[in-house]
Amino acid sequence: MLMRSGACGIMQAFAFSASRPPCMTPPSPTLPAPGGAQDVPDAAPSQTPLKTLADLERRLELLGAKAGHKRLVYRAWLGLAPWPDQEAFSSGRRPLPPKRVLERLPQIRQALEAAARIRSRHPGGDPESERLLVTLGDGQTVESVLLPRRGVCVSTQMGCAVGCVFCMTGRGGLVRQLTDLEIVAQAATARRLRPATKKVVFMGMGEPSHNLRNVLSAVRFLAQYGAFGHKDLVISTVGDPRLFDELNASDVRPALALSLHTVDDEKRSRLLPRGCRMKVADLVAAAEAWGRTSGYPVQYEWTLMKDVNDGLDEIDALGRLLAGHYAMVNFIPVNAVEGSPYRRPEREHAAELVRRLRSAGVVATLRDSAAQDVDGGCGQLRARVLKEFRGAGEANEAGEMLP
């Protein structure tokens, strides 16, 4: 997603045709993957890879699982219960599922774990942060980040079409959308590593509003089966009217983080060259309305760049814009990206911006990207490792690392 360099940060250049409305999502290139989702014979439903949550549900139903049995499997996947076995059900405390369900559970569990395997772990400087390089079922990679205070940042796309000029992810191009199962699998992986994980922020690689169906499906699944409160499911976005339309029509009420970075419309179009062309005032109005509807304050993300958006006049304008709003501002010093001209302001100057905004009555914080000492914002770790493998000749035709 995003054009931020927060806990995870991303963007990607993608050419828009002149006829495409300004907020249209560019079509995602389709990469070949081993065995796509397809109808599976009733006799051997565990032989086809799982790619979506609908695939998983159908697999279980073909084996004869009822609603209660499916719920047990989902909760086990998300680390809330042990994986069911014959002994657990034979005690009589739970309804015994069909024999085929129990027989196939090891294969189903293996397929779910294969949806997001940890390729490498990179602890941050603080004990609670850790950047993960995750290999998906087709062998391509995305990043997740274990966050302080029991959170995890997940990716929603492989690459990004927004093209934020200060973000590494946007340099590689939009490769493909992540499925709802692949998004949920990142949260399930975090729960395996840290069972107390209670918050999921959709703030990693990709722009969530460009993969709405899968993102909202993942949010709904995590809320229903993962014991994640709606306020602990945070969708980050550069802003898109379709996102607000879908949220207002949805039965889930996730919190919202808005990647703003400037109050100047012209400057924002330069920083986010392929972001949605909503005016800042309209974007803030829509976000404020959602904050009031959901009951959770809007988090405005502001990637601080020296001599770009750290001027006192602009911060004062931000204070006036958000005065009286149900909101808070997170200032995030930009992560250094190879070849990028953008640099962090001095720490004391950044702290002064926080004080200045607070004096205007707006809640504000200064924070770094989680595990930012490990290749900075999202996309940088993946880019470095991919570069190393390309140098060693160990990449496939799509340019991705071989499993």
Side-chain angles (χ1 to χ4, degrees):
M1 113 182 195
L2 13 197
M3 50 107 318
R4 31 176 167 140
S5 70
C8 303
I10 309 154
M11 305 22 330
Q12 167 106 42
F14 199 103
F16 284 67
S17 68
S19 62
R20 183 179 292 118
C23 292
M24 283 292 289
T25 305
S28 302
T30 301
L31 294 183
Q38 54 187 305
D39 290 347
V40 282
D42 194 8
S46 298
Q47 296 176 358
T48 303
L50 295 172
K51 298 187 70 176
T52 69
L53 294 177
D55 288 346
L56 173 59
E57 181 175 39
R58 185 164 182 270
R59 177 76 53 83
L60 291 169
E61 289 176 347
L62 285 172
L63 293 170
K66 304 303 181 185
H69 307 138
K70 291 186 291 185
R71 180 178 179 83
L72 287 174
V73 173
Y74 300 157
R75 286 173 59 81
W77 180 32
L78 293 172
L80 294 180
W83 281 89
D85 55 28
Q86 181 69 43
E87 181 178 352
F89 286 97
S90 63
S91 65
R93 293 192 300 270
R94 299 174 181 173
L96 186 67
K99 180 180 179 181
R100 287 194 303 160
V101 173
L102 293 176
E103 290 176 342
R104 296 290 186 177
L105 273 182
Q107 293 97 317
I108 291 174
R109 181 178 181 179
Q110 184 178 33
L112 290 173
E113 292 177 353
R117 293 189 182 279
I118 297 174
R119 183 178 187 87
S120 58
R121 300 176 64 172
H122 305 263
D126 65 273
E128 293 188 279
S129 299
E130 185 173 3
R131 196 170 294 278
L132 308 175
L133 190 62
V134 177
T135 299
L136 305 179
D138 62 359
Q140 304 205 55
T141 54
V142 294
E143 294 179 28
S144 300
V145 180
L146 301 179
L147 304 172
R149 295 178 292 281
R150 299 185 290 171
V152 60
C153 171
V154 300
S155 294
T156 58
Q157 293 179 304
M158 189 177 299
C160 183
V162 175
C164 300
V165 296
F166 49 84
C167 177
M168 174 61 78
T169 301
R171 293 185 174 191
L174 178 63
V175 180
R176 69 168 174 86
Q177 308 283 20
L178 266 62
T179 69
D180 51 2
L181 187 144
E182 290 172 327
I183 297 170
V184 171
Q186 295 172 72
T189 297
R191 277 265 177 87
R192 286 201 302 273
L193 296 175
R194 296 183 181 177
T197 299
K198 63 181 283 291
K199 183 173 185 175
V200 181
V201 294
F202 299 78
M203 198 177 288
M205 298 174 65
E207 165 52 47
S209 69
H210 290 177
N211 191 14
L212 267 179
R213 181 177 64 180
N214 289 329
V215 169
L216 291 179
S217 174
V219 167
R220 187 173 294 106
F221 189 91
L222 291 169
Q224 184 173 359
Y225 301 109
F228 291 99
H230 287 193
K231 68 181 179 63
D232 292 321
L233 297 167
V234 185
I235 294 179
S236 181
T237 180
V238 298
D240 190 310
R242 295 169 304 173
L243 172 64
F244 295 109
D245 290 343
E246 290 291 334
L247 287 176
N248 286 313
S250 176
D251 56 346
V252 291
R253 293 286 186 267
L256 181 69
L258 184 62
S259 294
L260 191 60
H261 309 295
T262 180
V263 296
D264 183 282
D265 288 313
E266 183 178 349
K267 184 189 297 185
R268 194 166 190 263
S269 68
R270 295 196 302 270
L271 293 175
L272 289 70
R274 296 172 187 83
C276 183
R277 292 295 177 260
M278 288 182 75
K279 297 293 186 182
V280 168
D282 295 336
L283 191 54
V284 169
E288 172 69 5
W290 177 251
R292 300 290 179 179
T293 296
S294 68
Y296 314 126
V298 178
Q299 302 174 43
Y300 288 91
E301 308 296 316
W302 190 285
T303 299
L304 279 174
M305 291 165 278
K306 186 176 182 178
D307 300 327
V308 175
N309 63 353
D310 66 337
L312 299 183
D313 289 347
E314 181 151 23
I315 300 307
D316 289 343
L318 176 63
R320 291 190 295 272
L321 178 66
L322 297 183
H325 282 223
Y326 194 35
M328 65 178 294
V329 175
N330 293 320
F331 288 118
I332 309 162
V334 68
N335 286 302
V337 174
E338 183 180 354
S340 170
Y342 301 104
R343 295 292 179 265
R344 297 179 167 203
E346 297 298 322
R347 190 74 179 183
E348 178 52 37
H349 178 64
E352 171 58 27
L353 301 183
V354 172
R355 291 191 291 268
R356 198 174 186 93
L357 205 53
R358 287 176 177 174
S359 69
V362 178
V363 177
T365 64
L366 176 62
R367 65 176 176 83
D368 285 309
S369 301
Q372 64 93 25
D373 51 324
V374 185
D375 292 285
C378 269
Q380 290 179 257
L381 172 62
R382 178 176 180 268
R384 175 179 65 77
V385 178
L386 179 56
K387 183 178 180 180
E388 292 173 356
F389 272 76
R390 280 175 170 161
E394 298 183 54
N396 62 21
E397 292 182 358
E400 289 294 335
M401 293 168 284
L402 292 173

